[in-house]
């Protein structure tokens, strides 16, 4: 069963850039493997083992990104005053201000302010409007703005 993946246009561009960089690494990794293979006995050749492991990681990530891009649906910018996937929100939670972009789970990165619509706070924000207040995990949350 095909799983649709929600991505913002910026998230798609980031994945395409990462894919391009990974593909460009293939020749260098192949060269490292060939050089290490020339050292002789592969069973005790750490350079060969490391190069093969790197090749496996790169190839697995390439497959993963290609699958994500193949099944991607681009999230349209939200023109509503309600919070949805693709919205940028500023909230006050317990006296601290946070700025979040609501994105799909694939491109979620809380350290960059990108939270998944499937995360607890993401779910709590969906469908709400600016100036709404609600409790989340025992803290008072006020939505300051929605864009």
């Amino acid at each position: 069963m095909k799983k649709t993946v929600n991505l913002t246009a910026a998230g798609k561009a980031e994945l395409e850039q990462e894919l391009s960089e990974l593909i460009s690494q293939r020749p260098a990794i192949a060269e490292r493997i060939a050089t290490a293979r020339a050292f002789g006995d592969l069973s005790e050749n750490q350079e060969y083992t490391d190069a093969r492991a790197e090749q496996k990681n790169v190839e697995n990530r390439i497959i993963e990104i290609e699958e994500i891009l193949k099944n991607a649906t681009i999230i349209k910018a939200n023109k509503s005053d309600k919070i949805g996937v693709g919205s940028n929100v500023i909230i006050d939670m317990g006296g601290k201000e946070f700025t979040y972009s609501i994105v799909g789970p694939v491109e979620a990165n809380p350290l960059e302010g990108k939270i998944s619509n499937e995360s607890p706070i993401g779910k709590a924000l969906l469908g709400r409007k600016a100036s709404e207040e609600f409790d989340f995990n025992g803290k008072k949350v006020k939505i300051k703005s929605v864009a």
Side-chain angles (χ1 to χ4, degrees):
M1 182 173 154
K2 181 179 167 184
K3 184 179 181 204
T4 304
V5 178
N6 292 323
L7 289 176
T8 61
K12 182 178 184 234
E14 287 175 13
L15 283 174
E16 288 170 339
Q17 176 66 32
E18 182 182 353
L19 179 62
S20 175
E21 289 171 6
L22 289 170
I23 289 171
S24 72
Q25 290 178 15
R26 283 175 164 165
I29 294 170
E31 180 66 31
R32 281 185 50 211
I33 291 171
T35 301
R37 188 177 282 143
F39 292 150
D41 184 10
L42 298 182
S43 65
E44 295 181 16
N45 187 331
Q46 192 61 45
E47 289 86 0
Y48 178 79
T49 303
D50 291 347
R52 290 291 294 181
E54 182 181 1
Q55 181 185 43
K56 180 180 177 187
N57 290 338
V58 167
E59 293 302 323
N60 285 341
R61 183 64 179 153
I62 287 171
I63 291 167
E64 180 183 15
I65 292 172
E66 286 174 339
E67 190 67 21
I68 290 168
L69 292 174
K70 183 171 72 173
N71 297 315
T73 300
I74 302 303
I75 301 166
K76 303 286 186 232
N78 188 4
K79 299 292 184 200
S80 170
D81 59 346
K82 287 186 176 182
I83 298 172
V85 179
S87 295
N88 293 308
V89 298
I90 299 174
I91 63 170
D92 182 300
M93 184 185 312
K96 292 183 179 176
E97 193 171 282
F98 298 92
T99 302
Y100 293 126
S101 294
I102 311 297
V103 297
V106 169
E107 65 180 301
N109 184 342
L111 297 175
E112 293 179 2
K114 298 176 183 178
I115 59 170
S116 168
N117 61 316
E118 296 177 6
S119 69
I121 187 68
K123 286 179 184 177
L125 288 168
L126 290 177
R128 297 188 185 268
K129 297 180 178 184
S131 74
E132 271 191 54
E133 293 185 15
F134 63 98
D135 284 329
F136 179 76
N137 287 345
K139 293 183 180 177
K140 191 167 197 76
V141 177
K142 179 172 181 173
I143 302 169
K144 296 180 110 181
S145 72
V146 178

